[in-house]
Amino acid sequence: MNVSNELFERAKKLIPGGVNSPVRAFRSVGGTPFFTKEASGCRLTTADDRELIDYVCTWGPSILGHNNPAIREAVSEALSKGTSFGTPGPSEVEMAERIVRIVPSVEKVRMCNSGTEATMSTIRLARGFTGRSKIIKFSGCYHGHVDSLLVKAGSGALTFGNPDSAGIPESFARETIVLPYNDEEAIRTAFDEAGEDIAAIILEPYPANCGLILPEPTFLPFLRAICDVHETLLIFDEVMTGFRVALGGVQQREGVTPDLTAMGKIIGGGLPVGAFGGRAEVMDHLAPDGPVYQAGTLSGNPLAMAAGIAALRILEEEDPYPRLAELGEKLADGIREAALSAGIALQVPQVGSMLCLFFSEDPVMNFEQAVETKTDQFKNLFGHALDEGVYLPPSAFETCFLSTAHGDAEIDRTIEVIAAGIRKL
Ligand SMILES: *Cc1c(COP(=O)(O)O)cnc(C)c1O
């Protein structure tokens, strides 16, 4: 028996499903998950000493490659000074300054420990600020495992066919209005019916947890405008897209300014970090200045701040985005060509260093279309790629990520592997 299988057997006796986050269990692609014992650059080394080219990048954070030397040094320097203080620390101020400088809509920011905490807190703050209770979300958008947001959610919830989690009281779910993405008419109708009660619209401005879906050109400006009319807050969940599709996220790329922004993933440089920020007037409603409570024992942790600051510093100084986009385009084009010559219907939406594979005749513009794609073909391709040393996300509804550690050689190899996999479908 190989080492990963043996570890998984032990894990299953002690940890529900053997994993600490559901998509890691490989349920939708079959087989048992490999365990990783180390990672460097764009490669993972499994417990069985296989080397894999990684397109999951810890689900987004490692945009600078695994075990980046500058991040590692920053963390060890911070480590020599202590792991947690429970008082304000200098690195929290530097982190806040960087975020406010980078993210266009953010005037004030609060650190927390995960993307889930960030989105949860934006919702509470929006409700506290507006005095209203309902929120609009879009089907297929995943905002972490927040009760009122786990309604028609993406990511693992979708992968396991239960986008609506058990354990969420109907009374909570009733406060969440779920609409199809890219559907302006549905939003107008919702505001006609309940405009006075809607505290916020929350969305992934580029939904990337049910594959990768891009907005119609008018969609994001439309949301901004209708929120202004109804004095509803617009919340961008940029946990995935922030510092990824552009340094300043989708809001910078598209020139649309949300009231609040949830951040995570890249901002922690591989350590557990989240953050949320926005207009000062809204953020000042948080405790201790305002009545909306939010807190965290380890929030602003010095190791996490050191890792995140090191990552943001490199991204600011080196501007890797044009190069990442070039690699993303090259990979997407190579995959499209392979599908075309094999006569397989495949859509490869791509933006910068993010892309996904939808086995479908037509472009996918919302969740309802995403679930109609041929996920069995993705599953077969995943298995082939893994056998050949290429680790794609273990679900048709997750996005592939590139890092600055991926180079032309890896992209060429990956296209070759995927092309062979597609021919076998
Ligand atoms: C990953 C993700 C989250 C949740 O972040 P966690 O750190 O896993 O809690 C929230 N929103 C989006 C868009 C994400 O991709």
Side-chain angles (χ1 to χ4, degrees), residues 114-117 119 142-145 204 209 237 239-240 265 273:
S114 70
T116 295
E117 279 183 49
T119 60
Y142 177 68
H143 302 295
H145 55 99
E204 298 182 68
N209 281 287
D237 176 354
V239 171
M240 187 90 103
K265 297 196 168 125
V273 180

Side-chain angles (χ1 to χ4, degrees), residues 176-249:
T176 306
I177 302 168
V178 185
L179 301 176
Y181 188 79
N182 270 330
D183 186 342
E184 297 181 15
E185 203 43 53
I187 296 158
R188 268 192 216 100
T189 307
F191 273 99
D192 286 345
E193 284 168 9
E196 303 281 274
D197 299 327
I198 301 172
I201 297 181
I202 185 168
L203 76 156
E204 298 182 68
Y206 294 168
N209 281 287
C210 57
L212 177 63
I213 290 171
L214 297 173
E216 303 278 12
T218 58
F219 188 62
L220 298 177
F222 164 79
L223 294 179
R224 180 65 275 174
I226 201 163
C227 282
D228 286 343
V229 169
H230 294 273
E231 295 179 359
T232 292
L233 298 188
L234 181 62
I235 304 173
F236 276 8
D237 176 354
E238 297 229 45
V239 171
M240 187 90 103
T241 51
F243 318 97
R244 166 64 69 178
V245 299
L247 184 61

Side-chain angles (χ1 to χ4, degrees), residues 103-106 205 236 238 248-258 261:
V103 186
S105 68
V106 175
F236 276 8
E238 297 229 45
V250 176
Q251 54 195 274
Q252 183 184 50
R253 264 185 89 100
E254 302 281 344
V256 175
T257 307
T261 300

Side-chain angles (χ1 to χ4, degrees), residues 89-109:
S91 58
E92 292 166 73
V93 185
E94 183 181 349
M95 179 61 114
E97 283 167 352
R98 275 186 193 273
I99 295 171
V100 169
R101 183 164 71 227
I102 293 173
V103 186
S105 68
V106 175
E107 295 171 351
K108 285 194 174 178
V109 61

Side-chain angles (χ1 to χ4, degrees), residues 338-391:
L340 201 63
S341 64
I344 294 281
L346 178 63
Q347 306 292 324
V348 189
Q350 172 257 336
V351 58
S353 54
M354 299 167 72
L355 57 96
C356 98
L357 280 68
F358 280 129
F359 286 93
S360 155
E361 297 282 347
D362 301 309
V364 174
M365 296 312 288
N366 59 34
F367 160 87
E368 290 69 17
Q369 294 165 354
V371 294
E372 294 299 322
T373 63
K374 293 182 179 157
T375 53
D376 52 331
Q377 290 191 331
F378 180 85
K379 175 180 167 178
N380 291 337
L381 180 66
F382 171 88
H384 168 85
L386 190 57
D387 288 345
E388 296 296 321
V390 172
Y391 177 45

